[in-house]
DNA sequence: ATAGGCGCCTGTAAGC
DNA sequence: TGCTTACAGGCGCCTA
């Protein structure tokens, strides 16, 4: 599912391909099927030039001329494709010769939404052991739920929260506020390491093929996971699932390596 | 303010 | 073989 590394991979391709292009038309998918983007988000779209593509957490932001911008969220199954058609078309942008399609089978994605309050960008320097410790100290929720809370850290979902907790040797069910400064330093480092390695590999394309970059290329991180999607950990130990799901998600961990 | 649960969705896979 | 059911999960909203 598109998390920070997948969205960042999409961002890089879009920025490279679209920067400097002017939007000549757009098209909405079946409006009875997909909720219409807010009118204000579409106003003045045609004629605007793409000045850059940003990412904030799991949100993509097209920066447009005239101080405008257009946000995209891929949700669970959203895919951005350069050119071509395909099923489940939600939104299409035409920029001269270039065409960008947003396909969204499960309809959890968003176009033109307002950004909610988001926490730290985990790959920025302001995210570190001390800032993570401050953000978690008063929390009683399980650490994994806190990591997937976009208002605390922006961009982590089930895959990368699971992998980061393994890398830091922490169990997903542990109360967030019980982590020491040293735990937080280790965890912040693990998050940066896992995310940057996943970005370098172009994200994760799982068995369901839900994610591919805008040129149709699969990611490579799924082959490097230690825990997620495995029955036996990369460490060689049998993995366990927490007795109850955390934040509604099955949560795998290694009972030997994670304490 | 925080935490937990539900509903939204459909494609895939497992189960009978 | 063909049907039904469970599961996947990001996020907004609701309640306590």
């Amino acid at each position: 599912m598109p998390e920070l590394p997948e969205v960042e991979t999409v961002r890089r391709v879009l920025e490279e391909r679209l920067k400097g292009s002017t939007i000549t038309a757009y098209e909405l998918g079946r409006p009875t099927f997909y909720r219409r983007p807010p009118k204000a988000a579409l106003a003045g779209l045609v004629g605007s030039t793409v000045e850059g593509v940003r990412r904030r957490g799991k949100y993509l932001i097209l920066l447009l001329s005239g101080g405008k911008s257009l946000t995209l969220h891929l949700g669970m199954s959203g895919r951005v494709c350069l050119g071509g058609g395909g099923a489940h078309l939600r939104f299409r942008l035409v920029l001269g010769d270039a065409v960008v399609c947003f396909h969204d089978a499960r309809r959890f994605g968003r176009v033109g939404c307002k950004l909610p309050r988001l926490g730290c960008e985990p790959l920025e320097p302001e995210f570190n052991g001390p800032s993570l410790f401050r953000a978690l100290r008063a929390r009683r929720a399980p650490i994994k739920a806190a990591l997937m809370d976009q208002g605390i850290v922006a961009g982590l979902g089930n895959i990368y929260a699971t992998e980061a907790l393994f890398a830091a040797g922490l169990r997903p069910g542990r109360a967030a506020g019980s982590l020491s400064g040293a735990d937080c330093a280790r965890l912040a480092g693990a998050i940066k390491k896992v995310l940057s390695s996943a970005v370098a590999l172009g994200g994760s394309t799982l068995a369901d093929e839900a994610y591919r970059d805008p040129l149709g290329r699969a990611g490579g991180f799924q082959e490097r996971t230690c825990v997620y999607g495995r029955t036996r950990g990369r460490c060689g130990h049998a993995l366990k699932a927490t007795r109850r799901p955390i934040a509604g998600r099955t949560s795998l961990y290694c009972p030997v390596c994670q304490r």
Side-chain angles (χ1 to χ4, degrees):
Chain A
M1 318 315 143
E3 302 178 29
L4 185 151
E6 290 77 32
V7 178
E8 175 63 19
T9 304
V10 172
R11 184 199 73 76
R12 291 179 180 185
V13 176
L14 287 186
E15 179 156 88
E16 194 203 316
R17 296 303 186 105
L18 300 185
K19 197 169 178 176
S21 299
T22 298
I23 298 172
T24 47
Y26 68 83
E27 183 191 336
L28 297 173
R30 265 168 56 199
T32 49
F33 203 60
Y34 292 110
R35 208 163 47 139
R36 239 188 119 80
K39 277 214 164 67
L42 300 173
L45 213 52
V46 173
S48 298
T49 298
V50 177
E51 296 184 337
V53 184
R54 291 281 146 81
R55 179 191 56 74
R56 178 79 172 96
K58 301 176 192 171
Y59 292 82
L60 279 170
I61 307 159
L62 300 185
L63 296 180
L64 305 172
S65 53
K68 289 190 289 287
S69 62
L70 181 70
T71 57
L72 294 176
H73 193 289
L74 303 180
M76 273 290 297
S77 59
R79 263 169 75 169
V80 176
C81 302
L82 276 164
H88 308 296
L89 178 74
R90 177 169 203 148
F91 187 63
R92 191 202 315 267
L93 278 179
V94 183
L95 308 95
D97 294 338
V99 178
V100 186
C101 295
F102 180 22
H103 304 281
D104 187 15
R106 275 173 238 185
R107 297 199 254 169
F108 283 0
R110 275 153 200 270
V111 178
C113 54
K114 253 184 75 177
L115 287 193
R117 280 197 176 72
L118 295 168
C120 278
E121 276 298 320
L123 292 177
E124 294 298 316
E126 78 253 15
F127 177 77
N128 53 32
S131 72
L132 183 60
F133 181 74
R134 280 194 302 278
L136 296 181
R137 71 198 304 176
R139 302 278 181 154
R140 274 179 295 181
I143 179 61
K144 186 168 169 228
L147 291 184
M148 289 193 293
D149 182 337
Q150 304 300 300
I152 298 178
V153 189
L156 292 173
N158 201 14
I159 300 173
Y160 298 107
T162 296
E163 292 299 312
L165 285 168
F166 173 83
L170 296 165
R171 294 207 181 187
R174 208 167 132 189
S178 76
L179 268 62
S180 68
D183 290 332
C184 288
R186 223 167 52 249
L187 181 53
I191 289 169
K192 286 177 190 284
K193 196 172 169 184
V194 165
L195 289 179
S196 45
S197 136
V199 168
L201 289 165
S204 301
T205 299
L206 306 177
D208 64 8
E209 291 278 323
Y211 167 75
R212 285 192 172 247
D213 87 354
L215 298 171
R217 297 178 294 206
F221 189 79
Q222 68 284 352
E223 285 156 29
R224 308 283 188 91
T225 60
C226 293
V227 178
Y228 188 91
R230 305 174 68 104
T231 48
R232 182 163 292 276
R234 188 167 293 278
C235 54
H237 303 118
L239 300 175
K240 284 184 74 171
T242 53
R243 198 158 205 84
R244 292 183 188 180
I246 296 172
R249 282 146 200 97
T250 51
S251 296
L252 283 180
Y253 68 99
C254 171
V256 180
C257 302
Q258 290 173 264
R259 291 291 163 189

